Structure formats: C-alpha cells, structure tokens
Amino acid sequence: MIRSDWQREEIRAIYDTPLIELVFQAQQVHRQYHDPRAVQKCTLLSVKTGGCPEDCGYCPQAARYHTGVDAQKLMDLPDVVAQARAAKESGSTRFCMGAAWREVKDGAQFDRVLEMVKAVNDLGLQVCTTLGMVTEEQAAKLEAAGVYAYNHNIDTSESFYGQVIGTRTYEDRLNTLKHVRKAGMTICSGGIIGMGETVEDRIDFLHRLASFDPHPESVPINALVPVEGTPLGDRPKIDPLEMVRTIATARMLMPRSVVRLSAGRLELSIEAQMLCFMAGANSIFAGDKLLTTPNPNVQTDDDMFRALGLKVMEQAPDPRAACKV
Ligand code: SAM
Ligand code: DTB
Ligand code: SF4
C-alpha cells in the first residue's frame, strides 16, 4: 500500500531496524513493485556550469567558493544533442540537464534550454532538467517542451537546511516543487547525506519526502562529495552502511518511486553498492562525470552490472502510467 500519512515515529522505527532485517524487508517491498535485477542508467550533463550566485555549502558551482570550477556559458544545442546521443548509445534512458542557476529567467537562455529539451526528447530519451527555482509559467513551458521530470532536491531536514544554505529557504524549494507538480511534470527530489546532519534530520528529510502525495516519482540519495573550497569540503566520508540504511528506509516509505543511488559512488565498493541495490536502489548516474565531479566510468559500471547480475533497464520506468492503473 502506498501511504503519504507516515508518522515520524514509524519512520524512526524503520530507520532503526537492525540493518540485516531492514535490508531484507526493503528488498521484499522492492520486489512487489520492481524487477530486482533491473537498474536504470541516467546521464547527467551540466549545460551551464559554475558561477552560481547561491551559497549551497556543498556545491562546487557556487561562485563564492574557490573550487577550481570556472563559470561557463550555456552550451550550444548541437553539443548537447551529441552528448545525449552518446548517452543513449551507452544505455541511458534518461538524460538530465543541469544549470548552475538560482532560478530560471525568461529570455534567450531559457528558450535555448527549451530547444534542448525538445531535441533530447526527440531522441527518445526521458528528459529531466534541474535549473533552480521555476515559476508556474516556466514549469508549464518546460512541460510543454517535453520535460518528464524536474529535479529539485529538498536536500535535508527543514531545520538543518539553514545551516547549509542561506540564500534561499526550504519554503522556496517546496514552492518550486508545487509549480512542477501543477504543470504535470514528475518530481525528482531527494537529498544529500553526510553533511553533518543528525539521524533526526535524516528522519525529518525522509518524512517530508514520504508525505508528498503523490510521492516524488524519483528520489535521488546522494552521499556528499566533499569538494575543496566549499564549506563542507572537510567533511569526513560517510559510512557506506548509512547510505544502505537511508536507501532502505526510502524504499520502505516510497515503494513505487525510483530510488537513485546518486553522487558518491566512487567512494563505494561494488559490495557496498550491491547492498544499496538490495536495499531498493534501482537507478544510477552513468558516465565518468556527474555535473562537475568524477563518477565511475561506463566500463567500471558494465563490470559491476555483470558481476552482480544486474540488467540495464531498457525502458525508462513511467510511474505516472503506473499511478493511472
Ligand atoms: N542549481 C540547481 C539546484 O540547486 O537545484 C540544479 C543543480 S544542483 C548542482 C543539483 C543537486 O546536486 C543539489 O540539489 C544537490 O543535492 C546535489 N549536489 C550538489 N553538489 C553536491 C555534492 N558536492 N555532493 C553531493 N550532491 C551534490
Ligand atoms: C542529484 O540529486 N544528484 C545529481 C543530480 N541530482 C542533478 C547531481 C550530483 C552533483 C554532484 C556534484 C557535482 O558533480 O557537481
Ligand atoms: Fe547553485 Fe544549485 Fe550549486 Fe546551489 S546547488 S550553488 S543553486 S548550482
């Protein structure tokens, strides 16, 4: 049963379940809704890198931190199409274009992004964009151009959010998600663990996601990639089992959603990633770069798929269709 009325205590109890039990329970839920061997490959492309006016404490693209990521111009359409083609050829069914913007501004740049969306959609790829805050009108334009999913992470709990980001509020984030939903796009929203948040913060974060009705169709769980020059650049690496526990809890709460094992895979062994898949993760970002930081290359992931007996999901899942049944 899909619920959006989870109580905090219930979530805490799930999160605190002995891990060996929790992974088993999450796998049982996972098998009710998904093929346990199928993992979706998605490709990220930063179409507008760096120079962002925001102060997100984890982000290498914030102009105010000296991270070695230089501000670049918005990419040209043919270059984006070439990258999308290559992504498709390497087995990705979803293509996510990111821009280091605080918010979308109407004008030539937004129009070019809309062109990119149309072109990538025409290749038969599920299109995701992550462009910062959007108004209702902009969300409608993105939807009309062919955006299937809009990524906008709530990142963490409401109370911890202010310690990581000062230039916008949690409410701003939720408002954009409202606009996305109203426009008829699917929601991709998750967060980052390993930023110094407490277990209580993680519970609040998961509670918030699981209270959306309907749930976000896609839930990326990122492990912080500490980047030198950012305020969180010195954070210690998280224990991989915390990723497993967070993913398992997300799977228990949001059975139908695609749970994405997102940033941080370079720090996870194949065995740790296997536990994440057992716990209910069924998507990864493929290709040797995320937006600006490194990620396992296609060959490494091919080897992992083979070793674990995973199958590349050939068709992008469509939870919207599932909802209508
Ligand atoms: N500017 C847009 C925004 O903030 O929504 C889109 C791009 S932003 C880079 C997308 C997401 O990447 C962030 O919400 C954050 O969750 C994740 N992210 C950024 N830097 C990260 C890092 N160092 N480690 C893990 N995740 C990170
Ligand atoms: C998400 O939750 N993780 C992806 C995607 N959504 C856009 C981005 C991860 C970015 C990691 C840092 C970087 O490469 O710049
Ligand atoms: Fe800008 Fe997005 Fe990075 Fe925040 S996470 S600094 S909004 S690119």
Side-chain angles (χ1 to χ4, degrees):
M1 234 232 320
I2 309 289
R3 290 175 52 191
S4 293
D5 64 349
W6 292 96
Q7 299 300 302
R8 208 178 177 290
E9 299 67 42
E10 292 179 287
I11 299 176
R12 177 82 215 213
I14 294 172
Y15 189 89
D16 286 341
T17 304
L19 191 58
I20 195 108
E21 287 285 351
L22 177 58
V23 171
F24 178 69
Q25 288 172 17
Q27 172 71 195
Q28 282 181 311
V29 170
H30 188 58
R31 280 169 187 260
Q32 283 175 35
Y33 293 89
H34 308 272
D35 175 348
R37 288 181 56 198
V39 172
Q40 185 188 22
K41 289 206 317 189
C42 310
T43 298
L44 285 168
L45 179 66
S46 181
V47 296
K48 161 69 187 86
T49 302
C52 184
E54 299 287 83
D55 70 348
C56 309
Y58 44 74
C59 188
Q61 302 198 69
R64 65 190 72 203
Y65 310 134
H66 301 287
T67 62
V69 173
D70 298 324
Q72 282 163 28
K73 289 198 184 119
L74 182 65
M75 282 178 73
D76 287 323
L77 179 63
D79 298 334
V80 173
V81 173
Q83 298 278 341
R85 268 213 186 93
K88 190 175 176 179
E89 269 158 31
S90 69
S92 282
T93 52
R94 174 144 150 160
F95 193 71
C96 179
M97 293 177 274
W101 287 333
R102 167 180 164 78
E103 70 222 316
V104 167
K105 295 196 179 90
D106 293 320
Q109 304 240 318
F110 183 40
D111 292 344
R112 199 193 299 172
V113 170
L114 294 172
E115 290 300 316
M116 294 174 186
V117 170
K118 284 193 196 109
V120 175
N121 205 17
D122 285 347
L123 295 176
L125 284 156
Q126 212 175 51
V127 180
C128 173
T129 54
T130 180
L131 314 168
M133 295 186 270
V134 288
T135 62
E136 253 183 76
E137 293 73 27
Q138 292 163 341
K141 282 187 187 165
L142 286 164
E143 200 278 336
V147 172
Y148 178 86
Y150 197 83
N151 166 252
H152 204 66
N153 290 342
I154 61 167
D155 275 340
T156 187
S157 69
E158 184 165 11
S159 61
F160 191 62
Y161 198 79
Q163 288 185 48
V164 181
I165 297 148
T167 49
R168 53 164 196 269
T169 64
Y170 213 62
E171 208 189 336
D172 290 332
R173 234 41 205 166
L174 297 174
N175 279 335
T176 286
L177 290 173
K178 254 185 229 153
H179 301 157
V180 168
R181 187 54 92 201
K182 197 161 177 202
M185 289 182 281
T186 63
I187 289 182
C188 173
S189 191
I192 308 179
I193 67 166
M195 300 194 292
E197 73 285 355
T198 62
V199 168
E200 294 301 317
D201 289 316
R202 277 187 209 156
I203 304 294
D204 284 347
F205 156 69
L206 290 164
H207 190 194
R208 184 70 77 148
L209 292 174
S211 299
F212 278 92
D213 186 8
H215 293 153
E217 288 76 4
S218 159
V219 179
I221 304 291
N222 298 274
L224 175 72
V225 179
V227 177
E228 214 183 306
T230 62
L232 296 177
D234 292 333
R235 289 293 316 163
K237 293 191 178 80
I238 55 149
D239 178 345
L241 295 181
E242 295 189 45
M243 273 303 262
V244 176
R245 192 178 282 286
T246 305
I247 287 170
T249 308
R251 172 52 70 221
M252 299 283 288
L253 301 175
M254 296 169 280
R256 192 144 38 196
S257 304
V258 173
V259 176
R260 299 182 194 278
L261 170 56
S262 303
R265 286 198 302 118
L266 267 185
E267 298 297 332
L268 297 177
S269 66
I270 287 195
E271 295 87 335
Q273 293 184 63
M274 174 166 167
L275 282 169
C276 292
F277 298 128
M278 293 283 299
N282 58 346
S283 172
I284 56 166
F285 287 116
D288 54 14
K289 206 154 86 171
L290 291 165
L291 289 171
T292 65
T293 64
N295 192 49
N297 63 37
V298 172
Q299 185 60 50
T300 305
D301 280 339
D302 279 354
D303 293 345
M304 174 175 76
F305 272 62
R306 211 167 298 118
L308 302 186
L310 296 173
K311 302 181 288 196
V312 177
M313 220 183 262
E314 278 172 20
Q315 191 131 31
D318 187 354
R320 268 196 311 201
C323 289
K324 283 176 198 144
V325 174

